[in-house]
Amino acid sequence: VPGYRSSSMAALRAARAARLVASGHSPREAPLDAPATMSRLARGVGRATELVMRRGAGSRVETACGQSMLDFTCGIGVTNTGHCHPRVVEAAQAQCGKLIHGQVNIGWHEPMLELIDELAPAMPHASLDSFFFTTTGAEAVENAVKLAKHATGRPNVVVFQGGYHGRTHLTMGMTSSSNVYSRGFAPFPPGLLVAPFPYELHGVGVDYCLEQLELLLRQRAAPSEVACFVLEPVLGEGGYVPAPPRFVAGLRAVCDAHGILLVLDEVQTGFGRTGKLFASERFLPEATPDVLVMAKGLASGFPLAALAASSLLTDAQPP
């Protein structure tokens, strides 16, 4: 029936406002009926707490109950400039008054072009001169894999034990930090192979991992059928374990010998989280990535992700 939904919602809002006024609350100031509302949200997202966050500033968040708390999570490595940094807020407010959605299949928009000009000179290597933007880290990882498969014409992808790459179907299959994300969603896309990651604390060294990688390329997938290696420079959920530079240099040597692309997933390590703008700077000049994936700190809370690669790779893709 035309207008039924809108009139029903209006009636519900009016009834709720009347109840709040009768109980002595202002409709604008009354607390949310959080438990009832929470029960309507899909359960597929786990939470560390039941706090309802109302506002944030710098390193602190305020809950709906008025508690001020230090946010040690930074939105899981996202708010690199803190919550509601004045310059970020000012830029967002100004842009919302000019253009909110500029569809890139229709034309260009100025913020994207300005961001490219800012990112290009900040890349760890001049070869990373072409950019693709999307909204989440998982999407950026998927597009890195698509780029590698298209550029090489090969079907297989090697990831490393303990890595986390996302929660889409492909990136769940690439993730080995825990089975909590993938449990119940198999089978995953084919062609995903897992190699060891050096973890000296548990006796897994660089030489062993490189030997096992060579063995994998003899037993599981020929090097001529591997499109890329995808590596977190520092394992995130896998234990916050930095990749030893000698290990990454070894991966680079294997890639160069067999025409495999090296993809570094810096979704969590990018934009200053390891003391340099990108963790991959620590591997230069011995191990330059072919593709660099970034998100999280890139926009400090806004849904923006990107990959950087050589234009020799990206220009080969058809529009």
Side-chain angles (χ1 to χ4, degrees), residues 7-21 27:
S7 61
S8 296
M9 292 303 293
L12 288 171
R13 286 194 294 269
R16 181 173 185 270
R19 289 197 303 271
L20 291 169
V21 170

Side-chain angles (χ1 to χ4, degrees), residues 35-192:
T37 304
M38 290 172 180
S39 69
R40 296 180 181 276
L41 191 63
R43 296 183 61 194
V45 178
R47 272 172 204 82
T49 76
E50 293 299 317
L51 297 173
V52 177
M53 292 174 282
R54 176 171 286 169
R55 58 173 59 89
S59 59
R60 305 190 76 89
V61 293
E62 181 183 310
T63 71
C65 297
Q67 292 176 295
S68 177
M69 308 185 74
L70 276 171
D71 180 11
F72 286 102
T73 72
C74 293
I76 311 184
V78 171
T79 56
N80 284 22
T81 61
H83 290 284
C84 298
H85 190 286
R87 290 179 60 185
V88 175
V89 172
E90 181 183 4
Q93 289 173 335
Q95 184 58 44
C96 285
K98 293 188 291 186
L99 178 68
I100 293 177
H101 180 61
Q103 223 293 338
V104 296
N105 295 109
I106 296 173
W108 306 91
H109 60 76
E110 289 179 339
M112 178 173 62
L113 300 176
E114 292 168 358
L115 180 55
I116 291 171
D117 285 341
E118 291 285 338
L119 284 175
M123 288 297 101
H125 196 271
S127 61
L128 301 170
D129 61 354
S130 181
F131 300 89
F132 174 82
F133 296 104
T134 183
T135 56
T136 68
E139 286 179 278
V141 171
E142 289 219 11
N143 278 282
V145 171
K146 287 169 60 180
L147 176 63
K149 287 184 174 183
H150 184 270
T152 62
R154 302 174 181 181
N156 295 319
V157 175
V158 175
V159 295
F160 295 87
Q161 191 70 45
Y164 176 88
H165 300 289
R167 297 180 66 172
T168 61
H169 202 234
L170 174 63
T171 56
M172 274 196 299
M174 296 170 63
T175 292
S176 57
S177 61
S178 171
N179 65 14
V180 67
Y181 306 109
S182 58
R183 193 181 305 141
F185 297 104
F188 296 104
L192 300 176

